[in-house]
Amino acid sequence: MNITVAGVGYVGLAQAVLLAQHNTVTAVTTTPAKAENINRGVSPIADAEITDFLRTKPLALTATVDAGQAYRTADVVIIATPTDYDPERQIFNTATVEAVLSLVGRVNPGALVVIKSTVPVGYTERIVGRFGCRRLLFSPEFLREGRALYDNLHPSRIVVGRPHGGTATEADARLFAALLQQGAAEQDIPTLYPNATEAEAIKLFANTYLAVRVSYFNELDTYCELKGLDTRQVIDGVCLDPRIGAHYNNPSFGYGGYCLPKDTRQLVANFGDIPNRIISAAVTANDERKDHIARQILRKAAGGVVGVYRLTMKADSDNFRESSIRGVIERLRRAGASVVIYEPTLRAASFDGLPVIASLTEFKRMAAVIVANRAESALAGCHKSCKDIVDCAGTLLLHRLSGALCHTGACQQIKRITAEGRVSLQPQLLVNMRRKLLRHLVFAMYDKNALRLRVKHAHPFSQLVHVRVAADSRKVLDLRLHLDRLAKELHFLCPV
């Protein structure tokens, strides 16, 4: 069978590779370089299974930029083009889908057309026949970015919906389902044949449930963090209930990526005047989580440079479109924080107006706090001079310690505070302090003009000590602190 797939993103390319195992498939893209790469067996996206299949499997797959010719000879056309959410119109922008439908309607109106792109509930039924395509199906995808082909090879379910008013038959729906089943590595895959509007609702409600679940565990994590509880202990205890399950439960910066943010907003818009609380709350909770993460980063950075390690939201991914960390970055910028980025997939010197640091070593040197979505081996070199604070999500905040209160002379002078409440130290005394990790009590940062030293307490309501050094190094430090809060910490910081 001749199949044409419009779009070579995660959805489209995964479909093309899956079906090219047993059919002749043409993948249509608007980017010549992507077509050339696919034809050379090189994946234009980061997906381990797609990369492996293109390189090693005997696929009947060709990529082209000649859409008209590809559609003209197709028995089945699969539309997998992007449908971004338009916040002003509060609806998916389906222009790319309609462009494909228009062309197919002109050159091959009898083809079976399957929409894989995510669309608003009721969309397929509304556009049947409008673009010359009446033999129309909607079949939602359920895949993870970076594991798109794997999820097609091992699908949780297959859903194929027919719209009222179209000419697609039940046999057409079963034909397309059979094509997906044939390419899969699994047997006896649960397969549903609802109408198209129900299939569209299945897609949006499934993704919104995932967003609600993410938001739930994020709020649990926020509560535990501010109450001094071990998040992982609480999550493990909650998730041992088989009705809840120990999966999809890692707290994070918030849900992000291409699907969940836009799908939740679209579903809220689809509700319209229909009463809802949970669906709308998922969107609000996600914004609040990013607000909370940004506040915590600002508190820990204490005026220093915030380094963002990777924009990609998932391991082994090269896509950071709508990555949740970008929402956090925007909040940091609005608060006036200085932010730098380390993202090796970027070649430009800046991203969205922020400096991109090409050297990881230089990035580590510049950053007072490094924010990462997960602990990675590339950050292991920080451990000798940084304190790791890792939450159960793998969020990593590295506090770079340029110096620590461990020098004997410094300890002796600081202890004078208990008697006088005020102390003056020579700048070089701090400069010569040897490095030492002091749990999460000390933060120190050097810059060209000044030294700022802040001593933080483990208790969230404890006082913060500010030490400022004038650019003129001959001037002494004026150290003021609240002795009642710091007394117990001094013995830990400066043991006799």
Side-chain angles (χ1 to χ4, degrees):
M1 184 169 286
N2 291 325
I3 300 172
T4 295
V5 179
V8 294
Y10 284 97
V11 177
L13 190 54
Q15 285 280 293
V17 171
L18 179 85
L19 297 172
Q21 297 175 95
H22 305 287
N23 303 275
T24 301
V25 178
T26 303
V28 176
T29 176
T30 59
T31 308
K34 289 184 178 180
E36 292 172 6
N37 280 337
I38 293 170
N39 291 332
R40 291 190 295 109
V42 177
S43 175
I45 59 178
D47 186 294
E49 284 74 25
I50 289 177
T51 299
D52 177 61
F53 271 55
L54 286 177
R55 188 177 63 248
T56 65
K57 302 294 184 181
L59 304 175
L61 174 61
T62 303
T64 183
V65 294
D66 189 346
Q69 181 58 33
Y71 301 147
R72 185 176 290 110
T73 59
D75 300 308
V76 179
V77 175
I78 300 172
I79 303 177
T81 55
T83 51
D84 297 329
Y85 184 76
D86 185 336
E88 293 185 1
R89 296 174 57 223
Q90 294 188 328
I91 197 169
F92 286 137
N93 183 349
T94 55
T96 60
V97 174
E98 289 154 18
V100 176
L101 289 170
S102 296
L103 184 52
V104 173
R106 291 198 302 270
V107 303
N108 192 358
L112 176 62
V113 179
V114 183
I115 299 176
K116 275 282 180 181
S117 303
T118 305
V119 295
V121 177
Y123 173 82
T124 306
E125 195 160 301
R126 286 198 299 270
I127 56 92
V128 167
R130 278 179 49 191
F131 301 95
C133 299
R134 298 191 65 84
R135 194 178 169 206
L136 199 59
L137 299 172
F138 175 77
S139 177
E141 50 79 19
F142 306 99
L143 55 83
R144 296 165 295 170
E145 183 181 301
R147 303 301 305 276
L149 180 54
Y150 180 91
D151 289 339
N152 275 274
L153 292 167
H154 308 275
S156 58
R157 73 278 207 197
I158 293 172
V159 178
V160 183
R162 289 187 295 141
H164 297 298
T167 61
T169 64
E170 181 179 347
D172 287 332
R174 293 186 180 278
L175 168 66
F176 185 69
L179 291 173
L180 300 180
Q181 292 163 350
Q182 181 186 40
E186 302 293 333
Q187 301 294 322
D188 302 321
I189 303 163
T191 304
L192 303 178
Y193 300 98
N195 64 49
T197 301
E198 291 164 344
E200 291 159 351
I202 288 169
K203 168 65 177 180
L204 293 187
F205 273 98
N207 272 356
T208 300
Y209 172 78
L210 296 178
V212 169
R213 189 172 172 105
V214 170
S215 297
Y216 172 84
F217 285 106
N218 280 343
E219 288 198 354
L220 182 156
D221 177 60
T222 298
Y223 179 88
C224 289
E225 178 185 7
L226 297 181
K227 291 292 187 178
L229 307 179
D230 186 331
T231 299
R232 177 47 60 189
Q233 290 283 4
V234 176
I235 288 179
D236 287 347
V238 168
C239 292
L240 284 172
D241 187 324
R243 296 170 298 177
I244 298 172
H247 59 276
Y248 212 71
N249 60 7
N250 273 338
S252 63
F253 296 136
Y255 62 77
Y258 181 61
C259 291
L260 265 58
K262 70 184 184 74
D263 289 2
T264 51
R265 290 195 290 266
Q266 178 62 65
L267 188 57
V268 169
N270 278 132
F271 262 84
D273 295 332
I274 299 173
N276 74 93
R277 290 291 183 269
I278 295 174
I279 307 300
S280 300
V283 177
T284 305
N286 200 49
D287 290 336
E288 175 54 38
R289 174 64 171 183
K290 293 175 184 178
D291 291 342
H292 170 73
I293 293 292
R295 287 193 296 266
Q296 295 298 89
I297 293 171
L298 289 168
R299 182 178 65 83
K300 294 176 186 299
V305 174
V306 177
V308 175
Y309 176 81
R310 305 301 305 270
L311 297 172
T312 52
M313 59 177 291
K314 294 182 178 180
D316 302 321
S317 172
D318 61 350
N319 182 28
F320 42 81
R321 178 175 53 178
E322 297 296 330
S323 177
S324 56
I325 188 60
R326 295 183 63 179
V328 176
I329 291 172
E330 182 57 35
R331 287 160 172 79
L332 295 174
R333 294 180 70 173
R334 289 201 300 263
S338 178
V339 180
V340 298
I341 295 169
Y342 175 77
E343 178 50 69
T345 65
L346 290 174
R347 295 293 176 262
S350 65
F351 176 79
D352 199 20
L354 296 174
V356 175
I357 311 302
S359 165
L360 180 57
T361 301
E362 177 65 11
F363 171 78
K364 293 177 184 178
R365 188 195 66 78
M366 293 176 64
V369 173
I370 293 178
V371 183
N373 197 46
R374 68 194 65 84
E376 293 190 5
S377 58
L379 297 174
C382 296
H383 294 174
K384 293 180 181 178
S385 58
C386 304
K387 175 59 189 175
D388 292 5
I389 300 179
V390 186
D391 69 13
C392 61
T395 302
L396 189 64
L397 300 177
L398 300 175
H399 285 214
R400 176 169 147 265
L401 303 180
S402 298
L405 301 178
C406 303
H407 189 281
T408 303
C411 291
Q412 292 173 350
Q413 295 223 35
I414 288 174
K415 287 179 180 178
R416 289 172 51 198
I417 300 169
T418 57
E420 301 174 14
R422 182 184 179 94
V423 67
S424 293
L425 302 175
Q426 294 297 326
Q428 60 266 28
L429 185 61
L430 289 177
V431 173
N432 292 330
M433 290 178 183
R434 64 184 178 86
R435 295 183 177 184
K436 183 179 176 65
L437 296 181
L438 301 175
R439 300 164 94 180
H440 46 300
L441 299 175
V442 177
F443 167 82
M445 184 193 76
Y446 288 90
D447 60 32
K448 293 180 180 179
N449 299 316
L451 163 71
R452 294 189 185 97
L453 175 66
R454 286 181 166 93
V455 180
K456 283 188 175 182
H457 299 251
H459 194 280
F461 300 104
S462 60
Q463 301 293 331
L464 188 64
V465 181
H466 296 267
V467 183
R468 297 189 179 277
V469 183
D472 183 353
S473 61
R474 290 172 297 180
K475 294 184 178 180
V476 297
L477 299 177
D478 188 11
L479 178 62
R480 293 182 176 88
L481 57 151
H482 297 276
L483 300 177
D484 56 334
R485 292 284 188 176
L486 192 60
K488 293 182 180 179
E489 313 299 352
L490 283 175
H491 179 73
F492 173 78
L493 292 174
C494 307
V496 177

